[in-house]
Structures are given as structure tokens and as C-alpha cells.
Amino acid sequence: MSHHFEHPRDLWRAKEPRAAYDVVIVGGGGHGLSTAYYLATNHGITNVAVLEKGWLAGGNIARNTTVIRSNYLWDESAAIYEHSLKLWEGLADELDYDLLFDQRGVLNLAHSLHDVREGTRRVNANRLNGVDAEWLDADAVKEFCPIVNTSEDLRYPVLGATLQRRGGIARHEHVAWGYARKATELGVDIVEGCEVTGIDVASGRVRGVQTSRGPIAANRIALVASGHSSVLAEMAGLRLPIQSHPLQALVSELLEQRLGCVVMSGAVHVYVSQAHKGELVLGAGIDSYNSYAQRGSFHIIERQMAAAVELFPLFSRAHVLRTWAGIVDVTPDASPIVGLTPVEGLYVNCGWGTGGFKATPGSGWVLAQTIANDAPDSLNEPFSLERFASGRLIDEHGAAGVAH
Amino acid sequence: MKRLAERGRVDRSRALSFTFDGRSFSGFEGDTLASALLAEGERVVARSVYHGRPRGVFSAGRDEPSAYVQLGEGPRSEPLQQATRVELVAGIVARGLAGVGSLSDEPDTDRYDKLHAHCDVLVIGGGPAGSAAAWAAGRAGARTILLEDEAELGGHLLGVPPSAPDTAARAWLDDKIRELASFAETSVATRTVATGLYDGGTVYALETRKRPGDPASAHRIARRLWQIQAREIVLATGALERPIVFSGNDLPGVMLANAGRAYLNRYGVLCGQQAVVFTTNDSAYAGALELVEAGCRVACIVDTRDDPQGELVARAQAAGVDVRVGSAVAIAHGGSSVEAVDVGRLDGESATAPDLERQECDLLLVSGGWDPQAQLARHVGARVLARPTGGGFSVDVPPRRTALAGACNCTFALSSALLEGIGAGERAAAARGFSAPPEPAPEVDEPLAEAPRPVFFVAPPDGDLSRCYVDLHRDTTAADIKRAVGAGLTSIEHVKRYTSAGTGADQGRTAGVNVAAVTAELLGAPLSEVGLQNARPPTVPVAFAALAGRNRGEMYDPVRVTPIHEWHVEHGAVFEDVGQWKRPWYYPRGDEALDAAVLRECAAVRASVGMIDASTLGKIELRGPDVVEFLNRMYTNAFDTLAVGSCRYGLMCTLDGMVFDDGVVMRVDDERFIATTTTGGAAAVMDWCEEWLQTEWPELEVYVTSVTEQWATVALAGPAARNVLARATGIPLDNGSFPFMAIRDGAVAGIPARVCRVSFSGELAFEINVEGLSGLSLWEALWEAGQPDGIVPYGTESMHALRAEKGYVIVGQETDGTVTPLDLGMGWIVSRKKPQHFVGKRSLGRTDTNRPDRKQLVGLRPTDPSARLPEGAQLVLDPDQPVPMRMVGHVTSSYESAVLGSTFALALLESGSDRNGEIVYAPLVDGAIAAEVTSPVFYDPENERRDG
């Protein structure tokens, strides 16, 4: 018999939209809900509506592989993700919801001298930024995660790994529902089945939105709709530097616990963890074409499973139970855009690419700050839209994987 | 329960023994594990995942929610297999599971494969409609593939007596199935299940080739993944019987009505002695009559309908069966198996009147109606609508070039299903230009079915929903759904996540519609508003190994080696993975370690001569009238000024002005160039060129071709390089005839060759390119020619150390996508004169790209000459500052030097070009290393050695 998790008896109640709000948040996903929550708790702003086109938290918050870590290379990224990780560390208590947040450690494997160099660089940068990071050699990798294939016969042998022990996983819908529950308790309106069809702009500032359930006035509007950001921004006349791609993930059937940490590999491209219930949760790279359809191509999955079996021979007879895709918004430097726009009162939070889940608390926290003050927090200031004009990019693609 | 002496398709002459839960049992060829266990009287075969309740066999197919087993032992142990889908083989070992499988530590010894197939018409499902469709398409001449999940065609007819519903119609269908096999362009794949439908007519299917434990198929690969490109698709995926939710509906002995019928007719197994049938429709009556005929007492048929008048109902009544109309089973009682049911009058759609009547039974057959199975259509976005009659959902509009036929299209009568199948097959073939004279479908003499009265959920009079199982596999009860709805949830997707209903390994086949129906009822909303959970591929669980196929071990990714590889192996090279290539990293002598070997190899190059296999460098041939224009747009520097017979180092940027790749570009003719790329970047550069040519500049007539493997390249470097080459060629090699950056064609060691004078070490050097297959001959000839000068082979590590001494960068090591040519001190390569707007030029003009305090390439010499800075070390100005420290750069390359008498490094450093002579620190876990900032050119800054 397995342990069965029970959610609280009360979550949130669907609301009819009112005619006007102080703040309208477009997008009822993880980031939108955390933004509403922090507006209410940190800034006392509760006359807020979260508008969701479909069912609440049904986008990428429901579709990701729940990896949480903060070991980013650049100072700006490390700062915002570390802020987020610190929020994660107190979040279950704060939301009074068991998020199944488990700091079981995140390994990032190195398979080439180039990977080793980049991994070392990252560990050094993390350490000096105050982010926990360790370099493990292949033997230490085996010790930390015995089921990883560290044999030298591997096509790309494991040469070592970075380890962030504070990294881990959480249960995605618990996070979204926890924010939704608290936000509604504080007076935020959650409106489901409410699609934004237009953004009213007059004299350079926002006035409200048109929706499938009628117009809603607001002087401050935040677009927090990953996978659809560029479509929404265009309604306000903004062209965002965003490419939208499908990103697929999958789970296995329920299996006895075998994998006690998160393992990521860039060269043998897959990332995997085992959820508390027992299913293996896996993801890999984005589909290369642009799309808004939440489905991907199966050859990506084939490739990913080959990588999984290569790294974990044990997984050979595990089964893919379910695959799905979310749409990720990718910026030219693979870093998010969080902040003001040229339209007064209109804020964007997008472009988190494949890394949005782990940022859920931090992203909402800084966006709430930005909305409340009509000015960015120091944490999200570097992630401005203007950086694409100035060239002050925060390139998190990592090194290009090229060598003579 | 017992095995009948007759009836069924099992071969009673072939008894098979097997082990279940550590005990021995016996069955027959043709059994499934489930039918054999039932025949042996095993009622409890598994436990439920959360509540630990006993569970038995519930279905006879893919819809099984309960009877899950761990199949096999050791290297072939496979988790979570449906006992209803395990073909019985002598000696197999299985154990019942409680919803959680386990993975074996022993390496999987099976092999897996992939197959790509193309067809005009793909028919999915080999029941009556699908077989008829494939026959119709096949006889028209269309290239047709028919996929069937089971071992033989026939669908639900395999589970009914050979005479049902009509002997003549069955004979007709058998005849067509035989005929199918004779069509030249038709293939029938059994034990092959379609797992997913994707855009553009792509279908994946999983074929089981090896029956677990079967010696007759032991030599085969275990499973094969099909990727099928179909122009037209006919879905004939049938329907599944829907259970009804009531209290105790999960007890062993409670079974889908069609399953009880299939165990009787297909396997000759009587699942009980005294049965109760609970139905909303006519379909369960046929099975009930067959049970009576086989000697089972049918205590009563509980029918939700108030006044059923169908032919089968009349026959049941005539046979003396007690038919209780307008009634429902409210509660099933029992411990490890059903012992009795409480039957009551239906009071409204889902509640029973309080006065219940107890009826003893050891078998309860349930039919809530039939749900069309068209998940495949939903994989590509087809929507479902609530059906006007019959309950459940059906596909609204099928996907492009996809037709639905038979029960998956709500066409349940055999006569109509055959007609629909033939029509769909003919239309699909016609869409591809194939047709044949029509041949009529048979008349089928079958009982006319009356409309069902769908009831999804019967609440017991006491209102206790905690034993009303909506999803047996995930142990979800109506009480759980009530809790979800009570928490405020209204979306079916929320209910799914709150309760986990429908998320199990059975893909929620028996649960899906009932979850929606119970949710709708508890919300007081119509079923059409609640809708159905999303259908996500695959339709059945697929082993990771089957998806990996042959791409495992050595074949996970192709290993690329040069034509000279064997020589490197014979001479003891240690290899490094660079992209897919195996490159010699260093050539140790005896047990020489890396550092010692590199110092020796470098010293030889500086003092005399070394040779390196440079064949892995990407090579792209560019031809066409616009090739110069194209190169000028792609590279930062100009190529219109490059003369034929010369070469030039070139740099490419990305759109944001960052260094993307580099290499030497040779002009071999007016309109013909060969560009070399980095080893790892070759494919990306090729893609990049094609992307610009195809999408942005289609007006340019340029043809790019990868010629990496068509050429083998050997570099000779060192002051004696000219002497060595002169022994092998007649090409004049003196500086006057063959200056730096010139290329010359001629014979080297008798092999036609193109020789370039380029240098990546700073020494006099020649790169000799020959046709790929001659690479080894060239290498060996030069090796011989170099012996008088003590030539050494050197690997990538020495190459890197030598170039670093000269301050030459490696793209991907000194750069990481954030470095401009100017950051590298290579402003000289960014043309300001050429008229073309090259890729990245605009970005190089941005304010941030021109900040003077950007990170720039510098050299570092540790103040302790024996200290070696680790590559990847971060640099700070003050090592004693508190964390977080202000980092000003990082070490990109670091080596010992054979000629400098100290270690040295390259680094990217903030305002680096202004920091010459300053001290920076690399704080490491065990203390900081101090280093002095220097020029990145450590050796021969005047380039005096280049000409030998």
C-alpha cells in the first residue's frame, strides 16, 4: 500500500469578475498566483483579479518536471533564483500546505572535458555568490546516486557532476493551489474561464482588459501567461523578443523508490527525478519548431528515453505512462523578462523558458514589488525588456558546447 | 469457477504450468494469465494501491484496472503488466502487485528495435470494422497496414460464440480476413498497438515480438517500435464496456459483463456458479444466456430500464431468468470476494430506494453501457461531445485525413460496423487514387438493441460513498470526488489532480467517463459541461527500452573516428570525446601521465616537429556565383579580397554579436571556397548557413555541402616541418614560393593533396588535406618522413597548450556565447570597410557591447610559478572580501608550459585590457591562487617562428 496524499478540504471558489480592480493579473498559473499572493501579503494590495483563460494552474505549472535549484552561472540569475529558493524553504509553512518540497539534491552530470570545465566554473561562481555548490568526481557521483551508470563503457562516460544539495523537487499543483487558497483568503478574486481578448491602452497607459466575460477596468495590469506572452503583449502593441516552443515531459508508472535525487545531464540529454508517489518524472530539450499547441513530436521522447536508459540501465523496463507538452517562452539570452514595459501600468513576466517552476515564489515576489512600486526590485532590474536594445544580456544558454 | 470441458479457443491438449505469487498453477495454450488464474479459482490476484483491498480480475483486456502483476524474474522482470494481457507461456513467473511495480537491478538482456513504415491507408484496430476497412482498402490496391493489439484479428467477436450473432456473417468476415493476407500491398501487424497519433499522419505503434518466457520466440527482439507515416487513417479502435459505480463495486467477483462472456467463450472458463447481472442495456443479456447454457445459475438480471422489450430480454425471460426492471445494485457484499448484492428500485438516476433485497451470488457482471475508444483522435486535438444517448462521450470532428469506423464511432451493430468499415476503407483508398468494383457487405441477422438507460453511479441508501470506487486502479471513490468538489473544484482536470483518478497505468480506461459523471452529478452540472479528462499519449505504457531501441551503449550516439584512428589506437593514444568524435587527447609513453606527455609533446613541436590528426575539423564547401557575397555576410571579416590559392582565418557571430564559430576559409576557385569549422560546431555552422540561405537570403545562389569526412587532414608543426614535408612532396615549400596563408595543390606521398600554410601553434606548419580514404597512407608516409627529425604525434591537449601560449582562442572555451570579437582582442577581424551588413554587426554597435569594462581576454601567470589555476576558477580582486564576492572574471584555459618555465592561463577579466600587471585572485575551496595579469600572447609575440 502506498501513502495517499490528501489535499485540504477548502481550496478556492470560482468568482464572477467585477467591473474594476486595482490590479489585474492575466494568467492564473504559478507565477500569476504567487504574484497575487505577494501583492496581498507584502503590499496589502488585495483588490486584485487573477484572470485565467482555462482552468486554474493548467498551463506550465501543471506540466513541468518540478525541479528546483538556484545554481545559475551569472550573478543576476543566481540572485533571483536563490531568492526564490529561500522562499521555497519556508513556503509550506507560510501557505499551510504540504508542498512535498524535498531538498534531495540536484546533480548535473559532466560527460566531456568541456562539461567539466563549465561545471567547475559554475560551482566556483555559485560558491562565491553564496549559493551551495559542490563538484563531485565520478566516484562521488556513484556514491551519491548509486543507480547512475558511471562505467567507463558509457558512450559519454560520467566525468563528474555539480551538486546542489539544497535543490530538489516539489509537487507542482500543491504550490499553485496553495497560493490560490491563501490569495483568495486575503481577498483576491480568481476568475477561471476568462480569456483576455484585448488590452485597453489610452495615452500610453493601460486602462483595462477586454475579456470573454466582459470588460474589466484596471490601471495596473500584469501579463503572466507563459506560453502566450507574445500574443498578449501584441494586444497592447508590444512586440516581445520571444519564441514559443513546445517542451515535453513524461512520467512512468508507480515504481518502488530507487532514485533519491534529481539528475540532469546536458550531453546525454535528460533530466529525471522520482516523485513521492513513485513515478519517474523526465524531461529533456524543447521541440525545435515554434508552436502554441500543447503537444510535441515523439522523436524527442525517443531520444530522451535512450538517454535515460543509457544513464540508468535500471530504467530499461520502466514504462512511459503519459507524455505531454507545455509551451515555453524563450528569449534570445534564455533569461526571463520581468518588469515595466513602454506602456505605463503594464508589466510583463515572461520568458522563463524551461526554468519557470523553480522561480515561482521569487518571480511573484519581485513582480508584486514591481507592481506595487511601479519600479523594479533590484533583483529583477537586470531582467528588463530594455536589455535587448542595450545588449546587456544575461546569457544562460551555457557554453556553446564547441571545441576544436 | 471452473474450466469447462468444451468451449473456447484454448488448446486443452497443451497444458502449461506457471507460478503465481510463489504457487504453481496450470493453464492452457491460448490462455491469458488472467484466464488461467480464473480457471484455477484464484479470485484475489492483487491488492489496491492505497486502501490495500483485495482485487480480482475485472476485465478481459487492456481496460483491466486491478489485476496487475510483476512479470518475470531477474533481467526480464517487468513491472505493472495486466494479467489480462499476458499470454500464458509455460514456466512464467508472476506476482500480484498493489499498484506499484519494481525495477530489476540486473541488466536487461532483451533487444529492442525500430521500424519505419509508410502507407496509403493505415487501419488501427482489427475488429470487424477495422478488418473490413483494411480489406476494402487493400483490395482496391492501396498500400495498407492494419494494426491489431491482440494476437489475432476479430476484436470482440473473439469473445462470443462462433455462431454469434450470425454464422453467415462470421464466415464472411473470416473469409475477408484470410483474403487480406493475400493482398500484395497489405500488411497485417498483430500484437501491435498504436500508441500515439501525431500531426501530419504520424502514428507510433508498439509491436510485441517476444512473448515473455516463451522459448519459441526467445531469439527474437522483444519489442519493436513502429513509426508509420500514413496518408489516410481509419480508426477502428472499438468500444469498452463502462462499469457502474456502487458500494463494494471493487470486490473480486465483480466483473465487466463482456469479460465474463469472454472468459466463457474464449477461454472456456466459468467465472462463477451463481451470477447476478447488472446492466443498463441489452448487450449483457447475450452473455447471461450463454452462462445459463454453460451451467451457471443466473440469479437475476438487474436492469436500470423500466420496461425493456428487446429480443434478448424476451429470450432471457423465456429461459426463466428473473429480470428486475427499473432496478440497480446498490451494494455488493463480501470479504475477499463478492458474496451477495443488495438490489433496489432505482429512485431517480442514481439513488436506490431504501428497501433493498439481498441476493446471494459469487459473480456480479456489470454493464454500464459502451464507451467509444477514440483517444488517438484526441492526441491531435479532436474534441469530444457528450453523447445524446448511451452516456459518455464521442469524438466531435475527426482529425484531418482520419475516419472513424465501428464502435469507436458509436456504430455498435455488426451490420452497420461492417458497412462503415468497408466505406471508410474504400474512401481512404479512393483519396489516394485506388478503387475496386464494390462488393456488398453481408446482411447480418442480429437482435435489435433497445436504447440503454445510462446509470453511472448508484449511491447507497446510507449515503456512504467511501466504498463506491470510481477508479479501481487509483483507489478513487465517489467520496474522494465529493471532497474535491466540496473544496471548490469544478474542472474535471482539477478533480483528476485532487484525487489522482484516471492517472493510472490502465490510462483510466474504466474510470474516465465515470469520474466525469460522478463529478457532474455532485456538481449538479450536465456531463457536457464537465467534459472528459485530456487524453495523452501513449495509449498503453511503453517500456523505456522500446523507445531507446538500438540507441544504447556504443550506438547511443554514433562514434565518429577519422581514417587514421587505428594508428592512434595502435600507438596508445588516450581519446577525448569531442562532439561525436573520438580524438587523440595525448599519446602517453609507457605509464606517462597526461601532464608529462603534454610537456613532452609540446617540447617536441617547439624544438623539432610534431604531427596531429586534424581530420575532425568541420569542412564545408561553398560554391556558386554569390558565394563571396554570402561569406561577407556570414563572417565578420571580408572575403572579396581573398585571392584564389590563399586562405584566411574567419570569425562568425550570432545575431547578438557574440562569437559563434571560427576557422580557416580557403579560396580554391573564383566561386568555390572550403570553410573549416570547429570540430564540435560543424553541424551548427552548416545549419546556420542553410538557415540564412533558405529563409533570409533565398536570392543568393550558393550551395553548401558538408565535406568533413571527404577530407583527411594532417598538420605538421615545428621548425622541422618543412624538412619533413619536403621528403614527401615536390611542391616548392620555401617561404617565397609558399608563403604563410597560401594553399597549394600537388602530390604528397604520391597522393593528390591540398596543402595550406596555416599555424595554430605559432610554429612553421603545414596542413595537408587528402581524400578521406587516403588519410592513413598520408599519415604513415609523413610519420616515416619525420623519423629523421624525431617527429612525435601530439593530441588535443598539446594542441590546446601550444595555441594558448600564442594567445589563440578556442571557441567554446574562451567563449561562451557572451563574448564579442572585441572582447577577445580581435577587433582587427571585424571589418568596418566591407559594404555588407554581416550577421551580428548591428549588435556589435549596441551600448553594452561597447562598454570599456566588459570582460576581455587576458593572460595570467600565477605568482607561484608552480601553482596551476584550475580552468573554471572565478577571479576576484580581493580574496578576503565576504561572500557574496564580486567576481571579475574566470579562467578559461590553464596549462603547464614546456617553454615558459611556469604555468600560465587565459582568462576573461573585467576591464582586462587595462589591468596589465595587476594581481587577481582565484579563491578556491582550499585557498586562493594569486596571478599577474599579462598579455594573452605568451610566446613569440613577434611571430618570428611562423616562417621557420
Side-chain angles (χ1 to χ4, degrees), chain A residues 354-379:
Chain A
T354 61
F357 176 71
K358 63 181 75 69
T360 303
S363 157
W365 196 94
V366 298
L367 184 62
Q369 191 88 3
T370 306
I371 295 169
N373 301 331
D374 194 32
D377 184 80
S378 61
L379 285 170

Side-chain angles (χ1 to χ4, degrees), chain A residues 1-2 7-8 11 13 56 121 128 155-156 256 258 295 298 302 316-320 323 388 390 402, chain B residues 49-50 78 101 105 108 110 114 199 204 483 486-487 494 498 537 542 544 557-558 678 816 846 848 885:
Chain A
M1 245 194 317
S2 298
H7 289 281
L11 291 173
R13 303 282 150 183
L56 197 75
R121 178 184 177 195
L128 300 187
R155 172 69 182 86
Y156 296 108
E256 288 167 12
R258 295 305 301 270
R295 53 182 191 262
F298 199 65
E302 292 178 73
S316 184
R317 286 175 186 268
H319 299 95
V320 175
T323 68
F388 300 101
S390 72
V402 185
Chain B
V49 62
Y50 296 126
E78 185 144 16
D105 282 302
D108 186 352
D110 274 337
K114 293 189 182 176
D199 294 285
Y204 279 83
R483 198 168 186 273
H494 286 146
Y498 191 94
V542 181
F544 285 17
D557 207 26
T678 58
D816 59 6
R846 293 187 292 191
D848 195 78
M885 292 195 186

Side-chain angles (χ1 to χ4, degrees), chain A residues 1-14 55-58 62-63 73-75 97 111-114 116-118 120-122 124-131 147 153-157 172-173 177 192 248 250-256 258 267-269 277 280 282 289 295-299 301-303 305-310 313-324 332-333 387-393 395 397-404, chain B residues 48-52 75-81 99-105 108 110 112 114 198-199 204 225 379-381 474 483 486-489 491 493-494 497-500 503-505 507 536-538 540-545 547-548 551-554 556-559 576-580 582-583 585 617 656 661-662 678-681 760 799-800 810-813 816-818 846-849 851 855 871-874 876 883-885 887 890 892 923-925:
Chain A
M1 245 194 317
S2 298
H3 171 70
H4 191 34
F5 179 85
E6 286 215 329
H7 289 281
R9 288 193 175 274
D10 265 302
L11 291 173
W12 70 92
R13 303 282 150 183
W55 42 282
L56 197 75
R63 293 161 191 271
L73 175 64
W74 299 109
D75 299 349
Y97 207 124
H111 299 272
S112 66
L113 299 174
H114 177 265
V116 172
R117 197 179 296 124
E118 289 305 314
T120 311
R121 178 184 177 195
R122 185 171 299 240
N124 280 315
N126 291 159
R127 235 170 14 87
L128 300 187
N129 263 325
V131 174
I147 65 169
D153 306 338
L154 201 62
R155 172 69 182 86
Y156 296 108
H172 42 28
E173 76 263 13
W177 294 0
E192 294 178 78
Q248 299 186 76
L250 61 91
V251 291
S252 76
E253 72 271 67
L254 303 191
L255 296 164
E256 288 167 12
R258 295 305 301 270
V268 181
H269 200 159
K277 271 197 300 188
L280 298 169
L282 298 99
Y289 57 84
R295 53 182 191 262
S297 293
F298 199 65
H299 68 269
I301 305 271
E302 292 178 73
R303 192 76 198 143
M305 290 302 96
V309 175
E310 183 76 357
L314 181 77
F315 291 173
S316 184
R317 286 175 186 268
H319 299 95
V320 175
L321 197 60
R322 205 161 43 247
T323 68
W324 63 87
D333 62 358
R387 74 179 187 274
F388 300 101
S390 72
R392 200 175 186 101
L393 303 178
D395 196 299
H397 284 109
V402 185
H404 273 278
Chain B
S48 75
V49 62
Y50 296 126
H51 304 157
R76 297 213 170 98
S77 175
E78 185 144 16
L80 284 169
Q81 298 298 292
V100 179
S102 62
L103 297 174
S104 171
D105 282 302
D108 186 352
D110 274 337
Y112 301 83
K114 293 189 182 176
Y198 294 83
D199 294 285
Y204 279 83
L225 185 74
H379 289 173
V380 282
R474 298 292 311 149
R483 198 168 186 273
L489 302 179
S491 160
E493 290 292 332
H494 286 146
R497 286 165 171 78
Y498 191 94
T499 64
S500 87
T503 63
Q507 317 287 14
R536 291 162 161 180
V540 300
V542 181
F544 285 17
L547 299 173
N551 299 120
R552 301 177 69 169
E554 278 279 283
Y556 166 69
D557 207 26
V559 175
E576 174 195 6
D577 285 311
V578 184
Q580 294 170 323
K582 294 282 181 194
R583 296 201 71 182
W585 187 16
L617 283 184
D656 58 8
D661 204 84
D662 68 347
T678 58
T679 295
F760 197 44
M799 174 182 80
H800 290 177
I810 291 182
V811 173
Q813 184 156 345
D816 59 6
T818 70
R846 293 187 292 191
T847 50
D848 195 78
T849 322
R851 261 176 31 236
K855 288 174 185 163
E871 290 174 353
Q874 295 286 331
V876 300
V883 168
M885 292 195 186
M887 289 171 258
H890 77 283
T892 58
L924 305 171
V925 176

Side-chain angles (χ1 to χ4, degrees), chain B residues 145-162:
Chain B
I145 295 175
L146 172 61
L147 304 180
E148 169 51 45
D149 188 8
E150 297 237 22
E152 51 186 328
L153 302 183
H156 80 280
L157 294 177
L158 296 172
V160 306

Side-chain angles (χ1 to χ4, degrees), chain B residues 695-718:
Chain B
T695 67
E696 301 294 332
W697 306 323
E699 73 281 6
L700 295 187
E701 191 180 346
V702 181
Y703 305 94
V704 295
T705 310
S706 167
V707 293
T708 301
E709 279 155 349
Q710 277 64 32
W711 294 96
T713 305
V714 180
L716 292 172

